[in-house]
Amino acid sequence: MSSSFSAIKPTIKLADQVASALEAEIREGRIQAAEKLPTEAALAQQFQVSRTVVREAISRLKSRGLVDSRQGSGVYVQAPGIEPLQFALPHAASREAVMQIVEVRRALESEVAELAAQRRSADDLTAIRQAMQAIHDAVAAGRDGVEEDVLFHRAIARAAGNPFLINTLDYLAQFLQGATRVTRANEARRSDLSQAVTREHERIVQAIEAGDPAAARNAATAHMHNALDRIAQADPSFWTQSGDRLAEPLVAAVPPGLK
């Protein structure tokens, strides 16, 4: 197997993350049917997790019919078949998880933008403009702009001058970035959606520059409302092609009793 995996970050449900990474390799054909997986020890080293985590991940793949153990030989990939229907509506869990994170962002970003409009300094405004330009540059260079998008909103949070808000955003960073990765992947599929996001960012910045707290709050709230609408209206092909895979860490992070 030629694939090389990145270390898993120490977050909730490591086994789900490992299983997701391996499943993506199988479904996208980078690990072929009948090919033997590396040993537990080798996978644990590549992902930088324990062998117990790898064992649990392999168990998940077995339950999905993607691999099979052969006594004394190892674990082999099986040809991926049709995935069983797991939810009442296709992709419902992925869509719901992303929308829930965007709802959290809506509450935070609206307050952050209002405070930024009240408290921003000249240096803050320069940093916000540079962060917005970085998104444009990333997209022009063929990147997804996810990291730059997150840093843009963080620049606004710094301008709000409340360290507890910054700490809250940092605490939620893995989820906010995960949701942003899904929303931007959906928006990148259509130029009108990408242009709408750019306009929404511009309205937020203009309100902050103008020192208009009400307009900044309204612009940030509208941006999050529109992000929710864009995800709610994403066509099934988006979720099939990449949305479900990108959203899987968010779905995995939902407490079992709330799924």
Side-chain angles (χ1 to χ4, degrees), residues 20 45 56 70 102 114 130 133 152 164 210 217:
S20 176
Q45 183 176 20
E56 291 177 2
R70 299 181 189 174
V102 176
E114 179 176 347
Q130 289 175 342
Q133 181 62 42
F152 165 70
F164 292 99
R217 172 178 281 275

Side-chain angles (χ1 to χ4, degrees), residues 52-109:
T52 299
V53 168
V54 171
R55 199 171 300 123
E56 291 177 2
I58 297 299
S59 177
R60 284 160 171 72
L61 296 180
K62 288 178 182 177
S63 70
R64 299 171 194 173
L66 292 172
V67 300
D68 184 44
S69 295
R70 299 181 189 174
Q71 186 67 32
S73 179
V75 178
Y76 290 81
V77 174
Q78 299 192 107
I82 299 174
E83 296 181 72
L85 183 63
Q86 297 180 349
F87 306 98
L89 294 174
H91 323 298
S94 298
R95 182 169 56 245
E96 185 68 15
V98 175
M99 293 179 70
Q100 287 168 344
I101 296 298
V102 176
E103 288 173 351
V104 173
R105 286 192 64 192
R106 179 174 58 190
L108 291 171
E109 302 287 359

Side-chain angles (χ1 to χ4, degrees), residues 15 18 22 39-41 43-45 47 49-59:
V18 173
L22 290 170
T39 64
E40 281 184 6
L43 287 172
Q45 183 176 20
F47 286 113
V49 297
S50 70
R51 293 180 65 170
T52 299
V53 168
V54 171
R55 199 171 300 123
E56 291 177 2
I58 297 299
S59 177

Side-chain angles (χ1 to χ4, degrees), residues 72-205:
S73 179
V75 178
Y76 290 81
V77 174
Q78 299 192 107
I82 299 174
E83 296 181 72
L85 183 63
Q86 297 180 349
F87 306 98
L89 294 174
H91 323 298
S94 298
R95 182 169 56 245
E96 185 68 15
V98 175
M99 293 179 70
Q100 287 168 344
I101 296 298
V102 176
E103 288 173 351
V104 173
R105 286 192 64 192
R106 179 174 58 190
L108 291 171
E109 302 287 359
S110 301
E111 184 69 18
V112 163
E114 179 176 347
L115 292 174
Q118 294 172 342
R119 302 171 178 175
R120 82 286 184 275
S121 66
D123 287 344
D124 290 328
L125 294 177
T126 298
I128 291 170
R129 278 291 177 187
Q130 289 175 342
M132 190 163 69
Q133 181 62 42
I135 299 175
H136 174 78
D137 293 344
V139 173
R143 302 194 302 274
D144 58 17
V146 172
E147 182 177 352
E148 290 79 8
D149 193 307
V150 171
L151 291 176
F152 165 70
H153 287 282
R154 199 177 192 283
I156 296 174
R158 283 197 298 270
N162 185 325
F164 292 99
L165 275 174
I166 291 285
N167 288 343
T168 299
L169 291 171
D170 287 346
Y171 177 76
L172 296 171
Q174 61 178 315
F175 305 112
L176 301 180
Q177 187 159 343
T180 301
R181 183 167 288 109
V182 179
T183 58
R184 288 195 68 86
N186 176 51
E187 292 153 1
R189 288 155 53 90
R190 288 172 43 185
S191 61
D192 59 324
L193 297 185
S194 297
Q195 292 166 6
V197 173
T198 300
R199 289 193 299 270
E200 290 162 18
H201 282 171
E202 181 64 33
R203 292 189 190 104
I204 296 171
V205 174

